[in-house]
């Protein structure tokens, strides 16, 4: 689980944007004090005890209007559990700042677009020979970091909202029903600030992630629009910078992975809902420490937003290891391992005979995914979930064994239904799964054949008896 429950709190560095009245350096996580996305607190210059003086004390007077506007938007928000407008703005600001190494986002040029389109086209051609699943990429696109943010935010919303909704609902359950009407304005303010805090954190995390991802499927989930294979040329260049591998090979290998993911999600219709359903199952298992929330609500000073921020960071929303959550996490982790293992296996089969750097690139990406890369860490920060395919190597070995035993069609046929897929225990013994399932399938075929023959025989006998009855009449 994440140390920052449900994303309340700030990553190590906040975007610097004078127009929005934000200053970095002295206010947040990683600087020695509690994370504080809205600038409230004694650590701010201009007023140790007054949150508004802390927010505005060192600000240029010309920025005060923007700051008051931001505060007004935060408190007047009446939407869902996450202020997604704020999340989008913060993500775009973060992208505009550039990455830690000083590389700023740039528009994708015609040559880069052409190179991505050609790489995906060639990747699909190679994949045709190693999987029975047809191409799932109707188009291939080259995105800038900002375009990645725009394209993936709808899916982030789908992933994060169930958890944020569960947390937000707790705010309305801590008071007796007869008191809730009286406390309406206070609870409304808490929900508005909760939505703003979520939006701030998610926007920051997604903006940072946009500087690191190489495509639309880096976390094993389809973040982009269906049927659209997407690569980020700027990030691909950064990824391959120190690998000692030709850039065209790096691009092609990553195109193979993107195209393989697209095939799987396009032609296994239940897979997306299976993965997202595990996230929702996790959200349903969240338990909120209502006693702590009750204490906070009873003592909360509406004029002191800092108090709410500190309470949110105090662990009142820390998820518990309930049976529901354990089951959902196990289901999600196994499914992610199977997805990543299948992609790893088929991409290696396609690339090995053609790319001299196939082994090195495979190992680099395996380590990036299995050790908890930036994508996994970001998602853990957002909602407390770790999207880490811990069994990636085991799953890849299992899919390779299935290919040897049953061929491409037999291997890919397991994706027809979730009940046909290996379980977590099967990853411990891939050869046992292959052997056992082959026997089971043959027995099922035999039983179905016998049942069909029996029905045919019974139908014939019934028809014959009816015929005899007619003759007697």
């Amino acid at each position: 689980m994440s140390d920052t429950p449900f994303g309340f709190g700030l990553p190590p560095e906040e975007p610097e944007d004078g127009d929005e009245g934000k200053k970095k350096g002295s206010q947040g996580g990683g600087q020695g004090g509690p994370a504080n996305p809205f600038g409230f607190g004694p650590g701010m210059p201009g007023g140790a005890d007054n949150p508004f003086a802390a927010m505005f004390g060192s600000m240029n007077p010309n920025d005060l209007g923007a700051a008051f506007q931001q505060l007004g938007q935060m408190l007047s928000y009446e939407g869902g559990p996450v202020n997604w407008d704020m999340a989008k703005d913060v993500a775009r600001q973060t992208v505009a700042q550039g990455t830690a190494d000083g590389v700023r986002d740039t528009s994708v040029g015609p040559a880069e677009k052409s190179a991505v389109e050609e790489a995906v086209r060639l990747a699909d051609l190679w994949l045709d020979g190693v999987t029975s699943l047809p191409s799932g990429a109707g188009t291939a696109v080259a995105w800038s970091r900002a375009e990645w943010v725009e394209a993936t935010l709808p899916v982030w919303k789908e992933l994060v909202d169930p958890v944020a909704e569960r947390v937000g609902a707790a705010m309305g359950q801590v008071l007796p029903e007869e008191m809730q009407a009286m406390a309406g304005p206070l609870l409304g303010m808490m929900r508005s600030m909760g939505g703003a805090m979520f939006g701030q954190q998610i926007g920051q995390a997604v903006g940072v992630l946009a500087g690191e991802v190489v495509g639309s499927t880096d976390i094993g989930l389809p973040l982009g629009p269906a049927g659209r294979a997407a690569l980020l040329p700027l990030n691909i260049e950064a990824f391959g910078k120190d690998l000692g591998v030709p850039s065209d090979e790096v691009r092609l290998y990553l195109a193979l992975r993107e195209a393989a993911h697209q095939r799987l999600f396009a032609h296994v219709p239940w897979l997306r809902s299976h993965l997202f359903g595990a996230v929702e199952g996790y959200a349903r298992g969240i338990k909120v420490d209502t006693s702590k929330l009750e204490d906070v609500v009873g003592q909360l000073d509406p004029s002191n937003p800092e108090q709410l921020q500190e309470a949110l960071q105090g662990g009142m929303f820390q998820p518990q290891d309930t049976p529901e959550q354990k089951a959902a996490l196990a289901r999600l982790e196994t499914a992610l391992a199977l997805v990543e293992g299948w992609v790893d296996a088929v991409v290696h089969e396609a690339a090995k005979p053609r790319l001299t750097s196939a082994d090195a690139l495979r190992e680099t990406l395996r380590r990036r995914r299995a050790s908890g890369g930036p994508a996994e860490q970001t998602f853990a920060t957002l909602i407390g979930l770790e999207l880490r395919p811990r069994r990636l190597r085991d799953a890849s070995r299992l899919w390779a064994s299935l290919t040897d035993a049953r061929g491409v069609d037999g291997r890919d046929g397991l994706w027809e239904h979730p009940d046909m897929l290996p379980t977590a225990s099967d990853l411990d013994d891939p050869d046992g799964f292959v052997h056992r399932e082959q026997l089971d399938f043959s027995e099922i075929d035999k039983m179905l054949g016998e049942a069909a023959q029996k029905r045919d025989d019974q139908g014939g006998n019934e028809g014959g008896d009816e015929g005899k009855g007619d003759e007697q009449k």
Side-chain angles (χ1 to χ4, degrees):
M1 295 295 176
S2 170
D3 293 333
T4 307
F6 307 101
F8 292 112
L10 189 67
E13 186 174 11
E14 183 183 14
E16 180 179 6
D17 192 322
D19 291 339
E20 294 297 323
K22 302 191 192 104
K23 304 295 180 182
K24 69 179 181 180
S26 59
Q27 78 244 43
Q31 300 298 327
N36 192 345
F38 304 108
F40 302 124
M44 290 296 293
D49 299 321
N50 186 332
F52 295 99
M55 189 175 189
F56 306 134
S58 62
M59 188 179 298
N60 187 307
N62 294 330
D63 294 333
L64 284 176
F68 278 117
Q69 183 180 9
Q70 181 191 15
L71 181 62
Q73 290 174 349
M74 180 180 71
L75 296 177
S76 64
Y77 174 70
E78 297 180 351
V82 178
N83 188 331
W84 286 102
D85 290 337
M86 176 176 286
K88 180 179 177 180
D89 290 344
V90 172
R92 292 296 299 265
Q93 292 167 12
T94 304
V95 165
Q97 282 189 310
T99 52
D101 57 4
V103 178
R104 294 182 176 272
D105 193 22
T106 59
S107 299
V108 179
E112 292 172 317
K113 292 180 180 179
S114 178
V116 166
E117 291 171 357
E118 177 61 22
V120 172
R121 185 198 65 78
L122 185 56
D124 259 335
L125 183 63
W126 289 2
L127 289 172
D128 284 339
V130 296
T131 175
S132 62
L133 300 180
S135 174
T139 57
V141 295
W143 283 341
S144 66
R145 294 167 180 172
E147 289 171 327
W148 183 89
V149 168
E150 294 280 352
T152 62
L153 270 180
V155 179
W156 286 114
K157 184 177 188 297
E158 187 175 352
L159 287 168
V160 174
D161 269 352
V163 180
E165 182 68 41
R166 179 68 184 88
V167 172
M171 293 183 176
Q173 299 173 354
V174 297
L175 294 178
E177 184 175 351
E178 60 274 12
M179 294 182 62
Q180 288 187 15
M182 298 174 58
L186 174 60
L187 294 176
M189 184 195 75
M190 292 175 66
R191 281 190 289 266
S192 296
M193 293 192 67
M197 292 173 190
F198 260 122
Q200 177 84 6
Q201 179 71 17
I202 291 168
Q204 176 77 15
V206 171
V208 171
L209 186 58
E212 300 168 338
V213 294
V214 295
S216 69
T217 55
D218 280 32
I219 64 171
L221 296 174
L223 294 179
R228 187 175 300 175
L231 296 175
L232 283 72
L234 184 62
N235 292 355
I236 291 175
E237 180 182 355
F239 172 80
K241 183 178 180 181
D242 298 321
L243 296 181
V245 176
S247 59
D248 57 339
E249 287 198 19
V250 174
R251 183 190 308 110
L252 185 50
Y253 195 89
L254 295 175
L256 281 166
R257 289 183 54 82
E258 178 75 9
H261 277 102
Q262 293 293 334
R263 289 183 181 227
L264 201 55
F265 287 112
H267 300 292
V268 183
W270 56 264
L271 182 57
R272 187 182 190 277
S273 60
H274 181 74
L275 292 168
F276 282 56
V279 176
E280 293 179 2
Y282 169 86
R284 288 193 297 270
I286 290 174
K287 303 298 181 184
V288 178
D289 187 349
T290 55
S291 62
K292 184 178 292 187
L293 187 56
E294 288 172 358
D295 292 341
V296 171
V297 171
Q299 303 173 12
L300 187 63
D301 179 1
S303 67
N304 188 3
E306 180 190 359
Q307 189 178 21
L308 176 60
Q309 173 68 10
E310 291 175 351
L312 293 173
Q313 293 170 359
M316 71 169 68
F317 299 136
Q318 185 65 41
Q320 301 174 6
D321 289 330
T322 63
E324 295 87 352
Q325 282 183 304
K326 288 181 179 179
L329 288 172
R331 183 161 60 102
L332 179 61
E333 185 175 89
T334 300
L336 283 171
L338 292 174
V339 168
E340 292 297 287
W342 183 88
V343 169
D344 179 80
V346 300
V347 167
H348 182 69
E349 190 176 352
K352 178 68 172 176
R354 300 177 174 95
L355 297 179
T356 58
S357 58
D359 288 334
L361 289 169
R362 182 191 201 189
E363 185 61 25
T364 298
L365 286 160
R366 275 182 165 187
R367 291 179 179 178
R368 190 182 193 221
R369 283 297 284 129
S371 63
E376 178 270 326
Q377 293 167 6
T378 295
F379 204 79
T381 299
L382 294 182
I383 60 174
L385 272 175
E386 292 185 355
L387 289 180
R388 183 185 304 178
R390 304 174 193 273
R391 308 295 301 277
L392 169 59
R393 294 176 189 269
D394 295 334
S396 183
R397 282 193 294 269
L398 184 145
W399 289 117
S401 297
L402 285 169
T403 306
D404 293 339
R406 304 187 193 178
V408 169
D409 291 342
R411 177 201 66 199
D412 293 346
L414 291 177
W415 290 106
E416 291 180 3
H417 193 277
D419 291 342
M420 297 174 66
L421 289 178
T423 64
S425 60
D426 292 323
L427 295 179
D428 297 327
D429 183 18
D431 293 334
F433 172 81
V434 173
H435 181 66
R436 182 176 69 253
E437 289 297 308
Q438 280 184 310
L439 288 177
D440 288 345
F441 284 140
S442 64
E443 289 298 319
I444 290 174
D445 290 341
K446 181 179 178 181
M447 292 171 60
L448 291 175
E450 291 175 351
Q453 183 63 44
K454 186 176 181 179
R455 284 197 301 270
D456 291 342
D457 293 343
Q458 290 176 345
N461 291 335
E462 291 173 359
D465 292 340
E466 291 174 359
K468 290 179 181 179
D470 291 339
E471 290 177 0
Q472 291 174 354
K473 291 178 180 177

